[in-house]
Amino acid sequence: FPGGAGKMMENIAKNIVYPTYAFDNGIQGRVFVSFVVERDGSISNVKAMRGIGGGCDEEAVRVIQSMPKWIPARQRGETVRCSYIIPIIFKMQ
């Protein structure tokens, strides 16, 4: 992610919206989202691997899909596709 892991987490925190249904029903937890960073830095194949329901899974997928382009991974001087799994925490405060 441009700027590193800290900037990525800032981007997620800034753009995530706690789903009303989940908030009203006290649903909290981690949603694990997998995705692929393509050779051009775009995000594809976004899926909630393990979710908590209440609309949180869909919101986590939406936020990952809306991320800006990444700096693509390199292997032996060539840009390559790279898969990631990121936990997104939904916690009421």
Side-chain angles (χ1 to χ4, degrees):
F1 190 85
K7 290 288 186 185
M8 178 184 63
M9 290 309 193
E10 281 179 30
N11 179 279
I12 290 171
K14 183 176 78 175
N15 292 309
I16 203 147
V17 177
Y18 213 113
T20 305
Y21 180 82
F23 187 81
D24 292 345
N25 291 289
I27 297 172
Q28 300 185 88
R30 283 190 180 109
V31 176
F32 289 87
V33 181
S34 71
F35 60 96
V36 174
V37 177
E38 297 291 342
R39 291 184 177 132
D40 65 354
S42 62
I43 306 291
S44 68
N45 300 341
V46 183
K47 296 178 194 138
M49 300 297 289
R50 190 167 65 184
I52 57 175
C56 295
D57 307 349
E58 293 82 0
E59 178 62 10
V61 167
R62 184 195 67 79
V63 168
I64 297 298
Q65 287 174 332
S66 70
M67 277 200 237
K69 283 194 172 190
W70 285 43
I71 299 166
R74 297 182 70 81
Q75 186 175 26
R76 296 186 197 106
E78 302 263 333
T79 57
V80 294
R81 299 173 78 218
C82 188
S83 63
Y84 286 89
I85 298 176
I86 294 179
I88 298 181
I89 300 168
F90 287 87
K91 185 174 182 181
M92 288 190 236
Q93 300 193 12

